[in-house]
Amino acid sequence: MNIVSKLTLKHLLGNRKRTIVTVLGIATSTALISAIILGVFSFFKFFGTIAVRSDGNVHAEFDEVSYEQFSSLSQDKRIAIAGVCEMEKEQSGIRLINDKEYRFRVGNIQHADENYLSMAVVTDYEGTLPKNSSEIAVEEQFLIDNGLENLKIGDSLTFEQGYRYINDELEGFLYLGGNYRSNERFETLSTETCTVTAILHGNMPTKDWDILRGLDSDFYPDTEKAQVFIQLKKCNTTAIKQLKSIVSDYGIKKYNLNTEYLLSVFSFEGSAGTYRSFFVMMGIALAIVIATSVILIFNSIGMSLTERMRYLGMLASVGATARQKRFSIYYEGLVLGFVGIPLGLLLGYIGTKITLDILGEKIIESDMLFAAKGMSGGIPIVCDISVLAAIVFFAAITIMISTFVPAIRAAKVMPIDALRQNNVIKVKARKLKVNPLIRRIFGYEGELAYKNIKRNGVKGKVITVTIAVSVILFLVINFFCKSIERANKFEFQIPYQIVASCSLSEADKLRSALKDMEGVEDVYSVSMIQFLFKKGPDSKTELANTEIADPKFLLPEFSKLELVGMFVLAIDDQEFDKILADNGLERDDYYQDTVKGVLLNDYFHEKKPSEVFNDEILGQSVHYDKTQGYPPAVEIQAFVKYDADNKVYDLVPKTNIAVYVPASMYFSNAKEVLPEEKLVVDLGVETTDHREVYDRIYQMFEGEGYHNYYCSDLTDTAMVMDTVTLMLKTAMYGFTALLTLIAIANIVNTISTGVLLRRKEFAMYKSVGLSSGGFKKMIRLETMLYGIKALMFGIPASIVLSLLMYNVFESNLFTFDLDWLMYMIVIAAVFGILGISMALSVNKIKDDNIIEALKEDSV
């Protein structure tokens, strides 16, 4: 170790507190970089695992493949395995011969070869997969439903094979698959007896098939019915390129790629556009982390350079080269990184693992990903060498950028200038002139504080810039988080857990039964009709009157809103009457011949109203031109305001347009265009025991002869939405919290180092008679001036940047609303952090001996 390295280490050890703060800043920065990169890789890997559980261990599917093409694919050196299945609709249905209920006896069968089955069956199973047409694999639940739970491997199973279908005036002739339908029929083509060689336990890729039947080795389906699945030997970032080359080589016209799995190996060719915004956001997050960290490390090393200016000059005077002086700064960055980066990796790994465990558990519990059902634990963290190398690379880049400018300055240090210290403070006397008002308001101490800031030159600018940048980052990121939260369409709180439906004529009976049911807390009408004003290119849906979607009805703030549809909610009369009373509206206006409703004129459902429509929409009618078979027209009579205490307003999520009408009026008019038995009433059921209540309702429907009944447990859906929201908030606010820590460390580090560098200056003030009280007043005023100056730059800049960000989000946010409370909190926090940092730093030097401090070499 040479003399320069030894002196650098000695200097770092001599300034332990600043060194520790800098190391912690590097560690926090590395932890954030780790969280971003580990999180991305882990999520992609997790979704790859889900893709395998959902679609099988296949990389691509080719349709209408000839036997010659299949033979060539099987021999291609790029392909590990190729399997085929026959998609024959007339051989896709089965019916068992037993006395069970018909809906249990019918099912679906798939015919496939052994290679395909080895890729498609990814869950545990008993036995061996079928190898020919005399062997079958059966889903365990299908056996249980038919009372065959005692059937064993090697037993025979007899079934009718054919096709399921419906044939009526409304839908015509359709082949059926999937769940049983009460109006379906079955056409038997043959009776088969096969040996059961495998029992499957809920295999997701073949979830639509109750039986898997093998294909004989000498059989190949007709080309138009042949579906081939392949698995690549080397599935990496070139996978999509390989697959497209295979498709081109063999002239395959119809194909699908397992893009969900291919994305997990970061193969993006041809699909990167879909995920471009995601990676842009990740890049922006990394850039923010690096920029914030650079400021912290740059400040620290810059202060360190100022402290070492004299001894660098002494080294230069005895022959130290520019390269050696530059090496001193690089070596300091190396030492700090050598400690900070591993610590950050450890903290990032722990934090990411905890976060992924919590989020993964939530995702699995919510059934957000159907294929994740049955999985346990959280999202496995991916910590490959390549991932670690990427984290270390970005952390090292951060440190290298931070040390570049100080290293150049160190190389230029000349012996005479360094020993005289005449280039540390460069300020002309005329720039120290003080406005007389400052002395009148704050006294002599205020004048000193103002001059100190001017005299501090670069150090004063560093403190100001550090505070301003910290303020800008925090406020802009806070605006970003609030914007994402506001635009998040997954966040809504429907007040009920179960929806139960039946014919209008049976609605009162159902309502009474539900209210008396154990575990039910409340029951009310949630009947909802959607009127559509726009449709997709392939949609054949009849549109409602599109005139009501005219932009002339929108307020200027929402002039760019594309009104796709509008919900009409038929709520209980007493609930509707409460809305009228709360908004000062007359009840009699809404119980006449026509259906009249009130429009909730609030887009985001927030404390501050976000009104969408002007008064011109009042009196307009939402309706379908074809009256027969469609709901009655609804006239918009008045506006109502959102009330968070009225759960009726939350029946429709935010960012949806809702019109409320009394149920009695709606259904009495609906009976004029539709038979009563065709009208269905939806009732919302509030309960804390949703699973038990759901089962009781379904048993009641089946046992008491209800018509047009339907029941759905919305708890799982709500849990999915909550999980998506939790993921967004965890990412956003976790990121903000860590960046805030870096920003605070920035301020504390800069202030404390700045105070220590001014020991001689403070000793001089005391030597000319500045009292202890006057000294404290000067420091307080200096702190206040730093804060004011930084906020004068930081707050306007944060508003401008937030406005620029708003323009990106504008299609979803519509109105530019700043969180002024957060701005006030930030202002108070700046002065609080500055005051505490300055007070703690000054406290360290309060007992300094004046003579010894004046003798001190450092500035």
Side-chain angles (χ1 to χ4, degrees):
M1 184 181 292
N2 59 35
I3 185 66
V4 175
S5 302
K6 288 181 179 179
L7 286 172
T8 302
L9 283 176
K10 184 177 180 181
H11 178 74
L12 288 172
L13 292 172
N15 295 272
R16 288 185 183 87
K17 291 185 179 178
R18 193 190 66 242
T19 301
I20 290 171
V21 171
T22 308
V23 167
L24 289 176
I26 293 173
T28 307
S29 167
T30 306
L32 259 176
I33 294 171
S34 301
I36 293 169
I37 296 177
L38 286 174
V40 168
F41 274 80
S42 299
F43 262 106
F44 271 74
K45 193 72 174 178
F46 175 68
F47 285 114
T49 303
I50 295 299
V52 171
R53 288 176 61 91
S54 174
D55 304 319
N57 197 7
V58 299
H59 301 151
E61 166 208 326
F62 304 146
D63 296 325
E64 298 182 8
V65 178
S66 68
Y67 177 72
E68 291 74 18
Q69 289 173 317
F70 177 69
S71 298
S72 299
L73 288 169
S74 300
Q75 297 171 12
D76 194 298
K77 293 181 179 180
R78 295 166 291 183
I79 297 174
I81 186 172
V84 64
C85 66
E86 182 182 27
M87 302 305 294
E88 172 57 83
K89 291 180 180 178
E90 290 196 357
Q91 298 285 340
S92 63
I94 56 165
R95 183 169 62 183
L96 295 189
I97 305 169
N98 58 36
D99 57 357
K100 285 289 181 179
E101 290 181 47
Y102 191 80
R103 63 192 178 99
F104 291 132
R105 291 167 51 202
V106 296
N108 309 293
I109 187 170
Q110 185 179 43
H111 304 80
D113 70 358
E114 187 179 7
N115 281 348
Y116 167 74
L117 294 175
S118 68
M119 291 184 281
V121 178
V122 294
T123 53
D124 293 334
Y125 61 90
E126 301 170 34
T128 58
L129 295 174
K131 294 180 173 61
N132 53 59
S133 61
S134 65
E135 298 177 348
I136 58 173
V138 189
E139 270 293 346
E140 181 182 34
Q141 189 59 51
F142 186 65
L143 295 176
I144 293 172
D145 290 342
N146 284 279
L148 298 172
E149 54 267 25
N150 294 324
L151 185 142
K152 302 184 295 298
I153 302 297
D155 291 349
S156 295
L157 182 66
T158 300
F159 54 89
E160 295 174 304
Q161 185 166 298
Y163 57 91
R164 297 162 54 195
Y165 70 99
I166 58 169
N167 190 10
D168 58 31
E169 294 180 3
L170 183 63
E171 297 183 83
F173 180 88
L174 290 173
Y175 287 104
L176 290 182
N179 294 332
Y180 167 77
R181 291 176 58 166
S182 58
N183 61 337
E184 74 172 66
R185 300 176 187 177
F186 188 88
E187 179 68 26
T188 302
L189 299 178
S190 63
T191 301
E192 307 286 335
T193 299
C194 296
T195 302
V196 177
T197 63
I199 297 177
L200 310 180
H201 303 295
N203 185 58
M204 295 290 180
T206 58
K207 63 183 180 295
D208 294 327
W209 313 100
D210 301 293
I211 293 178
L212 304 178
R213 188 176 184 180
L215 287 176
D216 294 324
S217 58
D218 58 351
F219 174 83
Y220 188 83
D222 294 337
T223 298
E224 64 273 11
K225 299 174 184 177
Q227 198 171 57
V228 173
F229 295 80
I230 69 164
Q231 191 181 105
L232 294 172
K233 285 183 179 178
K234 294 182 179 179
C235 190
N236 50 31
T237 54
T238 67
I240 291 180
K241 187 175 181 180
Q242 292 182 60
L243 291 169
K244 288 189 174 180
S245 176
I246 291 170
V247 166
S248 175
D249 291 347
Y250 297 109
I252 296 170
K253 304 298 183 184
K254 296 181 179 180
Y255 65 93
N256 287 302
L257 307 183
N258 190 352
T259 52
E260 286 76 13
Y261 180 78
L262 298 178
L263 286 171
S264 71
V265 294
F266 294 90
S267 182
F268 299 114
E269 185 179 337
S271 61
T274 309
Y275 295 87
R276 186 177 293 115
S277 58
F278 172 81
F279 285 101
V280 168
M281 293 299 296
M282 188 187 80
I284 291 172
L286 278 173
I288 291 173
V289 172
I290 291 173
T292 310
S293 305
V294 163
I295 294 170
L296 171 66
I297 303 167
F298 176 82
N299 286 348
S300 177
I301 293 178
M303 291 293 186
S304 174
L305 175 61
T306 304
E307 288 179 331
R308 289 189 289 159
M309 197 70 76
R310 185 179 293 273
Y311 91 71
L312 283 174
M314 292 174 64
L315 287 174
S317 68
V318 295
T321 64
R323 182 179 179 182
Q324 288 173 317
K325 289 179 284 183
R326 189 164 52 245
F327 172 76
S328 171
I329 300 300
Y330 287 140
Y331 186 72
E332 181 175 342
L334 180 66
V335 172
L336 293 170
F338 188 76
V339 178
I341 291 176
L343 179 61
L345 279 170
L346 178 63
L347 294 174
Y349 179 86
I350 294 171
T352 305
K353 181 167 177 47
I354 293 171
T355 304
L356 291 179
D357 282 346
I358 294 171
L359 289 180
E361 191 174 344
K362 282 283 186 182
I363 289 172
I364 292 168
E365 285 179 358
S366 68
D367 289 336
M368 176 180 167
L369 302 171
F370 183 73
K373 192 177 290 185
M375 293 180 68
S376 59
I379 299 173
I381 190 167
V382 175
C383 200
D384 298 336
I385 294 297
S386 58
V387 177
L388 293 176
I391 296 168
V392 172
F393 171 77
F394 283 112
I397 286 290
T398 302
I399 297 173
M400 189 174 74
I401 295 171
S402 306
T403 58
F404 184 72
V405 174
I408 293 175
R409 287 177 56 202
K412 293 179 179 180
V413 172
M414 302 302 293
I416 298 299
D417 291 336
L419 293 173
R420 288 178 177 174
Q421 296 282 293
N422 59 1
N423 62 345
V424 174
I425 298 175
K426 291 182 179 180
V427 61
K428 296 181 180 180
R430 60 186 175 82
K431 287 199 173 183
L432 289 177
K433 287 183 179 180
V434 182
N435 191 315
L437 283 175
I438 291 179
R439 184 158 189 170
R440 287 185 181 180
I441 296 171
F442 300 110
Y444 177 68
E445 294 84 359
E447 186 175 343
L448 280 178
Y450 180 82
K451 288 183 176 181
N452 287 342
I453 293 175
K454 291 286 187 180
R455 270 196 298 268
N456 276 336
V458 174
K459 289 180 287 184
K461 289 178 181 177
V462 166
I463 293 172
T464 304
V465 170
T466 300
I467 300 166
V469 170
S470 301
V471 167
I472 292 168
L473 281 171
F474 182 83
L475 289 175
V476 170
I477 291 172
N478 179 262
F479 178 81
F480 173 77
C481 293
K482 292 289 185 184
S483 299
I484 290 290
E485 188 174 348
R486 193 183 204 196
N488 176 22
K489 297 182 183 295
F490 293 100
E491 185 175 21
F492 66 95
Q493 298 294 328
I494 53 174
Y496 57 93
Q497 291 73 46
I498 296 172
V499 60
S501 309
C502 70
S503 297
L504 174 63
S505 58
E506 300 168 331
D508 291 338
K509 172 187 172 184
L510 176 59
R511 185 191 294 263
S512 178
L514 290 174
K515 285 186 175 180
D516 294 338
M517 188 175 289
E518 184 182 352
V520 173
E521 297 177 356
D522 199 3
V523 180
Y524 41 84
S525 174
V526 293
S527 296
M528 189 181 304
I529 306 91
Q530 186 177 23
F531 290 81
L532 292 175
F533 309 128
K534 293 184 182 297
K535 61 182 178 181
D538 299 326
S539 175
K540 297 180 181 179
T541 305
E542 183 75 23
L543 294 181
N545 60 313
T546 54
E547 292 179 1
I548 205 167
D550 194 320
K552 71 180 182 181
F553 298 136
L554 301 172
L555 289 171
E557 295 86 350
F558 287 85
S559 59
K560 295 183 179 180
L561 173 66
E562 185 178 12
L563 198 60
V564 176
M566 183 178 289
F567 289 98
V568 170
L569 286 91
I571 59 175
D572 292 332
D573 288 8
Q574 60 268 30
E575 297 289 349
F576 184 78
D577 293 346
K578 184 178 186 304
I579 290 177
L580 297 179
D582 291 343
N583 288 272
L585 300 173
E586 291 295 329
R587 183 182 186 279
D588 293 342
D589 295 338
Y590 298 88
Y591 291 89
Q592 298 177 6
D593 295 334
T594 59
V595 183
K596 295 182 180 181
V598 292
L599 188 150
L600 177 59
N601 199 12
D602 194 310
Y603 195 70
F604 291 112
H605 296 188
E606 298 172 336
K607 289 183 179 179
K608 181 182 177 182
S610 46
E611 297 180 352
V612 179
F613 299 99
N614 57 43
D615 290 343
E616 289 185 47
I617 200 172
L618 299 180
Q620 297 295 319
S621 174
V622 54
H623 63 274
Y624 285 99
D625 292 332
K626 294 181 179 179
T627 305
Q628 185 63 36
Y630 289 99
V634 176
E635 181 183 332
I636 301 173
Q637 180 76 8
F639 294 136
V640 292
K641 297 178 180 179
Y642 177 74
D643 181 1
D645 295 328
N646 191 340
K647 61 188 176 186
V648 172
Y649 292 125
D650 291 320
L651 296 178
V652 173
K654 65 181 182 180
T655 73
N656 287 279
I657 309 303
V659 177
Y660 296 86
V661 298
S664 61
M665 289 298 301
Y666 178 83
F667 285 110
S668 63
N669 279 266
K671 284 189 287 186
E672 296 177 4
V673 293
L674 281 176
E676 187 170 344
E677 61 270 15
K678 293 287 185 181
L679 292 174
V680 175
V681 175
D682 298 327
L683 295 176
V685 180
E686 288 188 25
T687 174
T688 55
D689 191 6
H690 61 98
R691 297 193 190 281
E692 288 291 331
V693 170
Y694 173 79
D695 290 340
R696 292 192 193 108
I697 294 174
Y698 233 108
Q699 289 173 8
M700 181 179 69
F701 277 150
E702 292 181 338
E704 298 186 19
Y706 281 88
H707 298 85
N708 293 334
Y709 65 81
Y710 171 79
C711 187
S712 177
D713 188 344
L714 304 179
T715 309
D716 290 340
T717 302
M719 192 179 292
V720 170
M721 301 302 184
D722 289 344
T723 302
V724 173
T725 301
L726 176 64
M727 291 169 64
L728 285 171
K729 288 185 176 180
T730 300
M732 292 186 304
Y733 290 106
F735 185 69
T736 304
L738 288 174
L739 276 181
T740 303
L741 288 176
I742 296 178
I744 292 173
N746 242 332
I747 296 171
V748 172
N749 192 27
T750 306
I751 293 293
S752 59
T753 304
V755 169
L756 294 177
L757 288 175
R758 295 170 62 192
R759 267 187 160 134
K760 183 182 287 189
E761 177 189 332
F762 293 153
M764 183 269 293
Y765 285 136
K766 293 177 182 178
S767 70
V768 296
L770 186 64
S771 66
S772 177
F775 178 75
K776 290 179 180 178
K777 183 179 178 182
M778 179 191 74
I779 293 297
R780 284 196 295 269
L781 292 171
E782 192 173 323
T783 303
M784 184 181 72
L785 289 172
Y786 273 127
I788 291 172
K789 195 172 181 181
L791 290 170
M792 285 175 63
F793 288 104
I795 289 181
S798 67
I799 293 174
V800 170
L801 290 174
S802 297
L803 184 59
L804 292 174
M805 192 177 293
Y806 160 75
N807 289 328
V808 175
F809 280 105
E810 190 176 355
S811 60
N812 291 317
L813 296 180
F814 298 105
T815 58
F816 180 64
D817 296 314
L818 292 174
D819 189 348
W820 293 113
L821 177 61
M822 184 56 68
Y823 274 73
M824 299 303 295
I825 291 172
V826 166
I827 292 171
V830 165
F831 288 114
I833 294 168
L834 276 174
I836 293 170
S837 302
M838 190 70 85
L840 291 175
S841 302
V842 170
N843 190 57
K844 297 174 186 176
I845 63 170
K846 68 177 182 179
D847 297 325
D848 278 1
N849 182 283
I850 294 176
I851 296 175
E852 294 299 323
L854 290 171
K855 287 180 180 178
E856 199 171 276
D857 284 338
S858 65
V859 176

